Amino acid sequence: MKRYWEIDALRGLMLVLMTFTHLPTRFTDPLGQPFGFVSAAEGFVLLSAFVAGLVYTRISDRQGVDAMRRAFWRRALKVYLAQAATLLFLFTVITRVGLRIDQPAVKNLLAFYLTNPIEGFGYSLLLVYEPALLDILPMYIFFMLMSPWVLAFALRHGWTVVMVASAALWGLAQFEFSEWLYGLAVQYLHLPVPFREMGAFNAFAWQFLWFAGLWLGASRHAPDAEPIRFPKWLVALAVGAALYGLWWRHHGINGQAPFGGDEAMNLLFDKWQLGPLRIVNLVVLGIVTVHFGPSLMRRLPRLHALEAMGSASLPVFCAHLVAVLLVLAFYGDSQTVRPWWGDVLLLVVVFAWLYGVAQATLWWDGRRRSRAAATAMPARSTARPDPPAAPAARR
C-alpha cells in the first residue's frame, strides 16, 4: 500500500515538537505551541486519525467490514502493549532511580502510585490511572476501539449523524461531563483513583478531533476524490487569523496563556478540554497547510529523518517518553539546571536516539516483510499445477 511521505514527515515533525515540549530545557517554552495556541498533540492526533480513515476504509472496501474491525483491534492491542511496557519502565527503573536520589519530580509524577502501589499498578493496566506524560496512548486506544463501529456506520449511512453526535459530545465535555461520570464511578464502583490522576486529556472532547480526522481520511479514499480547495477569501481570512495567532502567542505579554490570569477566558483556548477558540486556531492552520502545503513540499527537499520517525511513530513516541522520564529522574523538571550548551548536547543525544529507534523499527519491519514474502513464494512454487484440459472430443 502506498505511503504518503508528506504525512509521515508531518507526523515526524509533531514528534519532534512533542520532544521539545516535554524535555525540560530552555527550548521548552519557546517551542511549545510554536504556531499559535495549538500544540503538536492536536496535529499528531488529527494526522493519525486521517491515516486511519484512509487505511481502514481501504481495508473495508477490499476485505470487508469484519477485516477492518480486526485490523483496528490488532492496532489497539499493539498500542496497549506499548503503553504497558512504558508503564513497567516507569514503575521499575524510573521509580527506583527517583527514590534513590530523592528526586521531587519523580515523586510528584508518581504520587498516587507511591501511596497506593497495588491500586496504581492495577488501574494503570486498566487505563484508568494515567500518570502525566503517559495519558496520550490510553486516549488513542479508546479511539481505536470506537473507530471500527463508527467507521462502519459512517460508510453505510454517511458522516452527518456521526459528526453531529461527536460535536454534541464535545459540547458536553466543556460542561464537566467527565467529572459527572467520574462522580458516578466513585459512587457506584467505589473507584479509588483521584480524578486528577486519570489523565489531563479530556477524551470526550478530543474524540471530536479524532473523528473529524477519520472522516477526512475516509473521504480521501474514494478514487474520484477531488483535491480539497478553499475559496480565496477563506484562505486570505485563514492566513490573517493564523498570523495573528502566531503573533499573539510569541509577542503577547502572557506567553502560552492567551489571557494571562483570567482562567475563565483561558478555557476558550484550553488544551485539555480542546476549547472552541483552540479548534478555530487549528482549523485556520489546517486551511493554510492544505492550501500552501503541496506547492511548498514540491520546492523543499524531502526530510528523510522526519519521514522515518513518522513512519515508526509508535516506537518513536514511546522512545521519546523513555528519554523524557530519564531526564526527569536524573535532572528534575527545572528548565535551567544545565547551561545552554548542555541543553543542546542533551537534545542532540535524544534526537539521535529517536532517529536510531526509527531506523531500527523500519529495518525490522522490512526484514519481517521479506521473510513473509520468502515463506509465501515456495508455497506457491510447489503447488501442483492443474492438469491440462483434455482435448475436446471430435464429433
Side-chain angles (χ1 to χ4, degrees):
M1 183 168 17
K2 174 187 175 184
R3 292 198 69 99
Y4 291 85
W5 66 268
E6 302 94 335
I7 300 296
D8 285 336
L10 285 173
R11 287 205 293 182
L13 176 61
M14 296 303 110
L15 288 166
V16 168
L17 292 176
M18 282 186 194
T19 305
F20 273 116
T21 301
H22 294 156
L23 274 179
T25 69
R26 288 172 172 78
F27 302 96
T28 299
D29 287 338
L31 293 177
Q33 304 188 137
F35 305 115
F37 296 102
V38 174
S39 71
E42 289 92 322
F44 190 79
V45 169
L46 187 63
L47 289 169
S48 298
F50 178 89
V51 173
L54 187 68
V55 169
Y56 293 106
T57 300
R58 186 172 300 166
I59 294 175
S60 177
D61 286 352
R62 295 180 178 178
Q63 304 176 37
V65 173
D66 289 339
M68 178 264 289
R69 287 197 181 103
R70 289 192 296 270
F72 263 118
W73 292 336
R74 284 194 299 269
R75 181 63 177 174
L77 177 60
K78 186 176 182 179
V79 177
Y80 176 80
L81 293 176
Q83 173 74 1
T86 311
L87 284 168
L88 185 62
F89 176 76
L90 173 64
F91 293 150
T92 55
V93 176
I94 299 301
T95 302
R96 183 174 179 83
V97 172
L99 294 180
R100 184 72 177 268
I101 65 177
D102 194 23
Q103 180 57 258
V106 172
K107 290 184 176 181
N108 293 335
L109 178 67
L110 294 170
F112 177 74
Y113 173 75
L114 294 176
T115 306
N116 308 276
I118 296 177
E119 292 87 350
F121 183 74
Y123 279 104
S124 68
L125 293 180
L126 294 174
L127 307 182
V128 176
Y129 168 47
E130 300 171 10
L133 300 176
L134 277 78
D135 53 357
I136 298 180
L137 291 186
M139 182 174 66
Y140 190 85
I141 294 167
F142 171 67
F143 296 156
M144 295 294 287
L145 293 175
M146 291 289 296
S147 291
W149 311 104
V150 172
L151 185 57
F153 178 90
L155 292 176
R156 179 176 296 181
H157 303 287
W159 284 92
T160 302
V161 174
V162 171
M163 293 314 301
V164 169
S166 180
L169 187 56
W170 170 86
L172 288 174
Q174 306 306 307
F175 296 96
E176 300 186 347
F177 179 66
S178 299
E179 290 83 346
W180 177 73
L181 286 180
Y182 173 77
L184 293 179
V186 171
Q187 181 179 354
Y188 294 105
L189 302 177
H190 306 291
L191 183 67
V193 182
F195 183 76
R196 65 180 181 276
E197 300 287 355
M198 297 177 66
F201 291 90
N202 188 329
F204 295 107
W206 278 70
Q207 55 77 32
F208 177 71
L209 185 59
W210 174 268
F211 289 122
L214 200 69
W215 168 36
L216 290 173
S219 68
R220 295 294 91 198
H221 165 69
D224 58 346
E226 295 289 334
I228 300 176
R229 293 187 176 90
F230 301 104
K232 292 182 178 179
W233 65 267
L234 183 59
V235 174
L237 185 64
V239 169
L243 289 175
Y244 181 72
L246 185 67
W247 175 86
W248 190 0
R249 158 67 184 92
H250 291 283
H251 294 281
I253 60 174
N254 298 315
Q256 296 194 51
F259 296 102
D262 192 333
E263 295 184 4
M265 291 296 292
N266 282 331
L267 285 176
L268 296 175
F269 279 105
D270 189 70
K271 174 180 179 178
W272 316 119
Q273 297 290 117
L274 199 64
L277 292 185
R278 196 173 193 87
I279 293 179
V280 172
N281 201 165
L282 180 62
V283 168
V284 298
L285 288 173
I287 292 173
V288 172
T289 301
V290 171
H291 183 78
F292 295 103
S295 60
L296 184 62
M297 287 294 188
R298 287 193 295 268
R299 290 172 172 81
L300 290 176
R302 288 182 62 171
L303 303 174
H304 295 286
L306 291 181
E307 289 179 46
M309 288 193 285
S311 299
S313 57
L314 179 58
V316 171
F317 179 82
C318 294
H320 117 274
L321 287 180
V322 168
V324 172
L325 291 172
L326 286 172
V327 171
L328 287 176
F330 285 103
Y331 291 102
D333 54 7
S334 172
Q335 299 179 9
T336 57
V337 68
R338 293 169 299 276
W340 68 267
W341 59 265
D343 283 348
V344 171
L345 180 60
L346 174 65
L347 289 167
V348 169
V349 171
V350 169
F351 284 121
W353 155 247
L354 299 185
Y355 182 66
V357 169
Q359 289 292 353
T361 301
L362 296 178
W363 172 81
W364 179 258
D365 288 344
R367 185 179 179 184
R368 187 175 55 184
R369 285 192 295 267
S370 298
R371 285 180 176 178
T375 303
M377 286 178 63
R380 288 196 297 269
S381 62
T382 58
R384 298 187 59 160
D386 295 334
R394 294 185 179 178
R395 294 180 182 272

